Amino acid sequence: MLNRVILIGRLTRDPELRYTPAGVAVTQFTLAVDRPFTSNQGQREADFIPVVTWRQLAETCANYLRKGRLAAVEGRIQVRNYDNNEGRRVYVTEVIADNVRFLESANSANRDESGMGMSGGGGGNSGGGNRGSYGGGREQQDPFQDDGRPIDISDDDLPF
C-alpha cells in the first residue's frame, strides 16, 4: 500500500511551533494549493491543506517559513478523530510532512529559487539532515543575484 503526497503552494499564515509534553517540536501550517482549473467566473480556486512537521524539521520550518512563501511539501495523508467539548466526533485530515523544500529565499518576493529544503523524522521516521543547498542554520545568498555582470571563475572551479 502507498500513502504519498507532494504539494506545492503558499503558506496562508506563519507556522505555529509547539512542543509536546515530552519536549518534541511540532509545527503546523496551512498550504494554499491552486486547483488546475478555474471556476465558472474565471477565478482560480485553491485548496487549503493543513500540514504538520515534527522534530528538527518542525523547528526549521518555524524559523524560515513565513506567510506567503512558496514551499513544496512531501509526506503522507493522515486522518485522525477526537470528541470535541460538545461530544461530537471531529475528523481531521492533514499531511504529515517528512520533507519540506523552501522554494523562495527570505529576501525574495515572488521569485522561484528552489534549492533550500529539509527532511526530517515525522511519524516514526528517524533522522533528518540537509538537502539541497540548505546551509547549516542560515540562508544562502542567491548566486545569480547580480545577473548580467561578469563572474570571475578560475579553471580550478570547473568540475570538468
Side-chain angles (χ1 to χ4, degrees):
M1 289 180 248
L2 180 67
N3 179 356
R4 218 55 204 147
V5 62
I6 298 172
L7 303 168
I8 297 177
R10 295 195 179 276
L11 274 72
T12 61
R13 57 187 164 84
D14 289 350
E16 293 178 22
L17 175 64
R18 294 189 177 136
Y19 291 89
T20 66
V24 178
V26 59
T27 297
Q28 295 178 309
F29 57 90
T30 302
L31 210 59
V33 179
D34 286 340
R35 292 183 178 171
F37 53 86
T38 57
S39 68
N40 292 340
Q41 295 81 21
Q43 297 285 329
R44 191 118 206 176
E45 295 182 2
D47 291 301
F48 299 91
I49 302 169
V51 178
V52 178
T53 59
W54 292 89
R55 299 177 182 79
Q56 180 62 43
L57 179 59
E59 291 176 342
T60 302
C61 287
N63 288 333
Y64 295 104
L65 285 177
R66 294 288 173 257
K67 177 181 177 178
R69 293 259 175 82
L70 189 65
V73 170
E74 186 177 358
R76 63 182 170 83
I77 294 177
Q78 174 177 285
V79 180
R80 60 184 173 86
N81 62 71
Y82 63 92
D83 293 328
N84 67 10
N85 294 340
E86 297 154 4
R88 290 188 176 167
R89 176 133 310 165
V90 177
Y91 291 89
V92 178
T93 302
E94 55 200 2
V95 172
I96 307 301
D98 53 38
N99 188 7
V100 175
R101 281 209 159 300
F102 308 153
L103 300 180
E104 291 180 328
S105 68
N107 52 4
S108 74
N110 287 319
R111 273 191 324 233
D112 180 17
E113 297 182 17
S114 58
M116 287 186 281
M118 282 291 291
S119 59
N125 294 343
S126 64
N130 293 334
R131 277 190 113 171
S133 62
Y134 182 81
R138 60 185 178 114
E139 297 186 40
Q140 296 183 352
Q141 294 296 321
D142 178 10
F144 304 105
Q145 182 173 332
D146 298 324
D147 192 30
R149 295 183 188 171
I151 300 173
D152 183 27
I153 298 177
S154 70
D155 288 341
D156 294 336
D157 292 334
L158 300 175
F160 47 87

